């Protein structure tokens, strides 16, 4: 049996699947850095943001169908049933 070269060992290790779903980095990026989804559809999709501090009061930074935008982010009002 031939000895394994360091290059072959690195090649095999780089092709091995990485455990992404349970990694702390994935959790941090998804739940801490990304803003929450908008509770209502934004009125306009022209004020984009990446952090809450970028939005003027009373707007909030949230994730919508058109991207991450500043919007009122109020819960939809339900009519009488």
């Amino acid at each position: 049996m031939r000895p394994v070269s360091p290059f072959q060992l690195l090649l095999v290790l780089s092709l091995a699947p990485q455990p992404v779903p349970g990694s702390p980095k994935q959790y941090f990026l998804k739940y801490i850095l990304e803003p929450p989804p908008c509770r209502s559809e934004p009125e306009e999709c022209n004020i984009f943001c990446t952090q809450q501090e970028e939005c003027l009061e009373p707007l909030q930074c949230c994730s919508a169908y058109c991207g991450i935008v500043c919007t009122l982010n109020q819960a939809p009002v339900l009519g009488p049933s």
Side-chain angles (χ1 to χ4, degrees):
M1 188 166 148
R2 290 184 356 192
V4 178
S5 73
F7 176 73
Q8 289 173 328
L9 182 63
L10 287 175
L11 179 65
V12 169
L13 290 176
S14 68
L15 295 176
Q18 301 296 319
V20 173
S23 71
K25 181 179 179 182
Q26 182 83 7
Y27 175 80
F28 182 76
L29 290 175
K30 182 172 176 81
Y31 295 104
I32 297 177
L33 293 181
E34 290 183 6
C38 295
R39 292 179 287 204
S40 61
E41 290 188 20
E43 300 81 29
E44 298 178 19
C45 285
N46 57 0
I47 307 173
F48 294 97
C49 61
T50 56
Q51 297 177 349
Q52 182 59 41
E53 291 81 23
E54 296 175 6
C55 299
L56 301 174
E57 287 290 331
L59 302 178
Q60 294 179 349
C61 189
C62 64
S63 177
Y65 65 91
C66 57
I68 300 174
V69 295
C70 292
T71 185
L72 287 176
N73 198 20
Q74 297 175 345
V77 178
L78 300 175
S81 53

